[in-house]
Amino acid sequence: MDICPSCGAQLAADAKACPSCGLAIEGSTASFKPVGVEEERPQDSAPEVSDIPVLVVGKGAETGERFYLEDGSYSVGRDPESDIFLNDVTVSRHHASIDVIGGDVSVKDAGSLNGTYVNDILLDAAHLQNGDALQIGRFKMVFFAGGDV
């Protein structure tokens, strides 16, 4: 039997979804296809206004979670020690890094298996603009540049 990457429940070998939490099970992570906009779940409420940049999870196990990005460098990955911890097998342990300098926010892939996407384009590095969609594994997050939400 397999284990659900979201809640840890036991899964049958041919399970299409977790019987406990409902997470869709998609098989091997050897290859990855970006999530289409039509697959996103709508937000229950609009994000609150913030003076600092923020990533809001729009699709993934933690939908609605916010990561506030003050000046500094952030590690992103499946490693529990990551600054932005994304707990899913489609996320590499050390997937990417995000650097914030005076409101300028950039993301850089760290050689991950499934890549890092900005607005559905696979990129090694990119500067994020207000409204950009950042996808890491199954997590699709929207970037808000602070004060513009």
Side-chain angles (χ1 to χ4, degrees), residues 38-49:
E38 66 279 354
E39 296 178 28
E40 291 182 45
R41 288 187 280 179
Q43 292 287 328
D44 292 333
S45 61
E48 60 199 45
V49 174

Side-chain angles (χ1 to χ4, degrees), residues 27-129:
S28 173
T29 62
S31 64
F32 184 78
K33 186 172 109 180
V35 177
V37 173
E38 66 279 354
E39 296 178 28
E40 291 182 45
R41 288 187 280 179
Q43 292 287 328
D44 292 333
S45 61
E48 60 199 45
V49 174
S50 171
D51 290 334
I52 61 174
V54 63
L55 284 171
V56 180
V57 178
K59 182 181 185 319
E62 303 298 326
T63 300
E65 186 170 357
R66 292 173 171 86
F67 298 104
Y68 292 94
L69 306 171
E70 296 181 6
D71 279 2
S73 185
Y74 298 85
S75 59
V76 181
R78 188 168 35 96
D79 184 335
E81 298 297 315
S82 296
D83 298 314
I84 299 177
F85 175 53
L86 302 176
N87 191 16
D88 188 83
V89 296
T90 61
V91 177
S92 296
R93 290 186 193 281
H94 304 285
H95 199 105
S97 63
I98 296 176
D99 292 310
V100 183
I101 302 170
D104 181 41
V105 180
S106 59
V107 62
K108 182 178 180 185
D109 188 83
S112 66
L113 177 64
N114 288 325
T116 299
Y117 294 79
V118 175
N119 299 325
D120 295 327
I121 299 170
L122 177 63
L123 299 170
D124 290 329
H127 288 281
L128 297 179
Q129 303 294 320

